[in-house]
């Protein structure tokens, strides 16, 4: 129990997970080996004296087979079309991962997974399972929380708290996803969606620091709050953000790094608020190395910008901005409702016309023919 990390198989992929035992607030969290508990069994828990020391000293111990005893369900659910996750054992599963594991590979039928209130600890990962809805009982009260980062699992595929590969029709709504990796703890996505086609994230809080979102595919976000500070929205696909808050926290940084090619659009923010913690200055709307990604596309349409956004507005490295670069903006306003003075914007960024802005407001244009509002 004293080791710093341990291997775990999650969704068919091996991860290094931090500390199999730790304290989070008033919870003592102990991670069991994957698939440790069988259906139709009785279990009891013992705790050695000195393993858990309460505040102020003393000891907490369980030595008998009756104090903490429980039964597992006789069998798994007969249908996976509607599943409930509850920490107290009142649902079909006690973990989000357990519910996802119950969905067959290459599933195409609609699946609703309802996640009850509480802090649900640990990494979540699944792949090639389609038409799943993850719905929290409470946006602030249903929290997927834990630590994962590039130091623990050094690859973009492995370092997110919640990750999905090669899925379609995914909906994530009415919950919070919080990667607890501290500042300087390496890249640590809260939500990674890659190869995610026709996916929706709405009414959700998504929190981390560096690289909060890695999204690639066709993804629509609505009424979400996304926090971070170093390229914390990034990826290679098309993503449309409607009425979202994009908040820089802790230190100055860059909102977006879009690595898309010339054949499609990238990250588009419409009617959204670009905010920050108090005292932050010198942040920019996006940055890109044009020697590697000369066709990067980021657009802000009728967004409200906080005073932390610099006059230059954007960061371009790797050479002079080519004509293929698409750093676009239309009628940005300050928090008082006044149009932002964009005369100091960096060369290579563009102020759109009303007609161009109207085109970017259409999700079907940005998302290659898919309109999630229909």
């Amino acid at each position: 129990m004293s080791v710093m990390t341990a291997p775990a198989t999650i969704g068919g992929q091996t991860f290094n997970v931090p500390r199999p035992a730790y304290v989070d607030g008033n919870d003592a969290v102990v991670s069991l080996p994957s698939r440790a508990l069988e259906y139709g069994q009785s279990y009891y828990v013992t705790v050695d004296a000195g393993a858990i020391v309460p505040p102020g000293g003393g000891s907490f111990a369980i030595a008998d087979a009756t104090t903490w005893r429980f039964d597992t369900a006789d069998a798994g659910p007969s249908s996976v079309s509607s599943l409930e996750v509850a920490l107290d054992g009142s649902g079909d599963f006690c973990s989000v991962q357990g519910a996802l594991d119950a969905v067959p590979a290459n599933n195409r039928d609609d699946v609703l997974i309802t996640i009850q209130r509480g802090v649900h600890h640990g990494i979540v990962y699944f792949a090639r399972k389609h038409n799943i809805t993850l719905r929290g009982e409470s946006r602030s009260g249903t929290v997927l929380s834990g630590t994962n980062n590039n130091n623990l699992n050094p690859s973009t595929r492995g370092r997110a708290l919640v990750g999905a590969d090669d899925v379609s029709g995914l909906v994530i709504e009415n919950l919070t996803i919080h990667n607890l990796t501290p500042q300087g703890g390496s890249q640590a996505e809260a939500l990674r969606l890659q190869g995610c086609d026709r996916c929706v994230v709405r009414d959700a809080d998504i929190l981390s620091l560096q690289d909060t979102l890695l999204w690639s595919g066709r993804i629509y976000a609505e009424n979400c709050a996304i926090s971070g500070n170093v390229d914390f929205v990034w990826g290679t696909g098309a993503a449309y953000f409607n009425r979202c808050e994009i908040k820089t926290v802790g230190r100055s940084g860059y909102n977006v790094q879009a690595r898309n090619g010339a054949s499609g659009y990238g990250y588009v923010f419409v009617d959204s608020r670009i905010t920050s913690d108090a005292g932050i200055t010198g942040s920019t709307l996006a940055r890109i190395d044009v020697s590697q990604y000369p066709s990067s596309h980021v657009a802000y349409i009728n967004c409200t910008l906080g005073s932390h956004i610099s006059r230059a507005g954007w960061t371009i490295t790797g050479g002079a901005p080519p004509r293929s670069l698409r750093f676009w903006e239309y009628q940005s306003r300050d928090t008082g409702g006044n149009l932002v003075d964009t005369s100091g914007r960096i060369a290579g960024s563009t102020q759109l016309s009303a007609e161009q802005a109207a085109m970017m407001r259409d999700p079907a244009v940005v998302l290659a023919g898919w309109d999630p509002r229909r």
Side-chain angles (χ1 to χ4, degrees):
M1 285 298 183
S2 64
V3 300
M4 292 297 294
T5 63
T9 300
I10 302 170
Q13 180 169 310
T14 300
F15 293 84
N16 291 315
V17 296
R19 286 191 181 278
Y22 60 95
V23 173
D24 181 10
N26 290 324
D27 295 334
V29 182
V30 180
S31 300
L32 298 174
S34 298
R35 312 179 73 86
L37 305 186
E38 300 293 337
Y39 286 110
Q41 299 294 321
S42 294
Y43 291 91
Y44 64 91
V45 178
T46 62
V47 179
D48 291 345
I52 300 174
V53 180
S59 182
F60 170 82
I62 300 174
D64 60 85
T66 57
T67 299
W68 190 352
R69 189 178 184 92
F70 60 93
D71 298 329
T72 56
D74 291 336
S78 58
S79 169
V80 298
S81 62
S82 181
L83 301 173
E84 184 175 349
V85 177
L87 292 170
D88 64 2
S90 61
D92 299 294
F93 294 93
C94 294
S95 72
V96 177
Q97 190 64 49
L100 287 167
D101 288 347
V103 179
N106 301 306
N107 168 76
R108 294 287 176 179
D109 296 327
D110 290 342
V111 175
L112 171 62
I113 299 176
T114 303
I115 310 168
Q116 297 302 317
R117 289 175 180 267
V119 180
H120 300 259
H121 296 278
I123 296 168
V124 174
Y125 175 74
F126 61 104
R128 295 174 295 281
K129 298 183 178 186
H130 310 286
N131 301 324
I132 294 174
T133 295
L134 295 174
R135 178 181 298 160
E137 180 187 15
S138 164
R139 176 168 176 165
S140 61
T142 300
V143 182
L144 309 189
S145 176
T147 300
N148 193 18
N149 51 61
N150 201 71
N151 288 340
L152 283 167
N153 295 287
S155 72
T156 54
R157 185 182 174 91
R159 69 194 189 197
L161 181 64
V162 177
D165 285 305
D166 304 322
V167 302
S168 62
L170 173 67
V171 177
I172 298 174
E173 60 186 8
N174 203 44
L175 48 70
T176 294
I177 301 173
H178 190 184
N179 192 326
L180 302 173
T181 298
Q183 190 72 57
S186 76
Q187 300 97 320
E189 282 83 3
L191 178 59
R192 182 184 66 84
L193 304 175
Q194 289 189 280
C196 200
D197 189 45
R198 294 177 291 107
C199 297
V200 175
V201 182
R202 59 181 167 230
D203 302 325
D205 297 338
I206 307 172
L207 316 173
S208 189
L209 293 170
Q210 184 171 353
D211 296 351
T212 304
L213 299 185
L214 169 50
W215 287 3
S216 298
R218 291 189 294 174
I219 303 170
Y220 177 82
E222 183 171 271
N223 191 32
C224 292
I226 297 144
S227 296
N229 58 33
V230 180
D231 296 333
F232 62 100
V233 178
W234 78 287
T236 61
Y240 185 108
F241 296 79
N242 181 35
R243 297 185 294 109
C244 292
E245 180 182 9
I246 311 299
K247 185 174 183 179
T248 300
V249 295
R251 46 149 288 181
S252 179
Y254 321 91
N255 287 1
V256 181
Q257 186 179 141
R259 297 182 174 184
N260 54 285
S263 61
Y265 294 110
Y267 287 75
V268 176
F269 302 84
V270 176
D271 298 333
S272 294
R273 296 184 299 122
I274 314 305
T275 66
S276 74
D277 285 343
I280 292 177
T281 60
S283 292
T284 58
L285 299 171
R287 75 167 173 177
I288 202 67
D289 182 342
V290 293
S291 69
Q292 297 187 63
Y293 307 104
S295 300
S296 178
H297 175 250
V298 182
Y300 290 83
I301 311 299
N302 298 111
C303 292
T304 300
L305 310 186
S307 59
H308 66 297
I309 298 297
S310 69
R311 281 177 53 81
W314 310 81
T315 299
I316 299 171
T317 62
R323 290 188 177 183
S324 58
L325 179 66
R326 296 166 293 169
F327 278 0
W328 293 350
E329 197 174 356
Y330 178 73
Q331 289 198 347
S332 296
R333 296 183 180 272
D334 63 24
T335 54
N338 305 302
L339 285 172
V340 170
D341 179 5
T342 59
S343 61
R345 289 295 192 251
I346 195 169
S349 63
T350 301
Q351 297 298 311
L352 297 183
S353 68
E355 291 76 16
Q356 291 169 319
M359 181 179 66
M360 285 293 93
R361 293 187 72 90
D362 184 351
V365 170
V366 177
L367 301 173
W370 172 52
D371 191 340
R373 304 171 301 179
R374 296 173 185 168

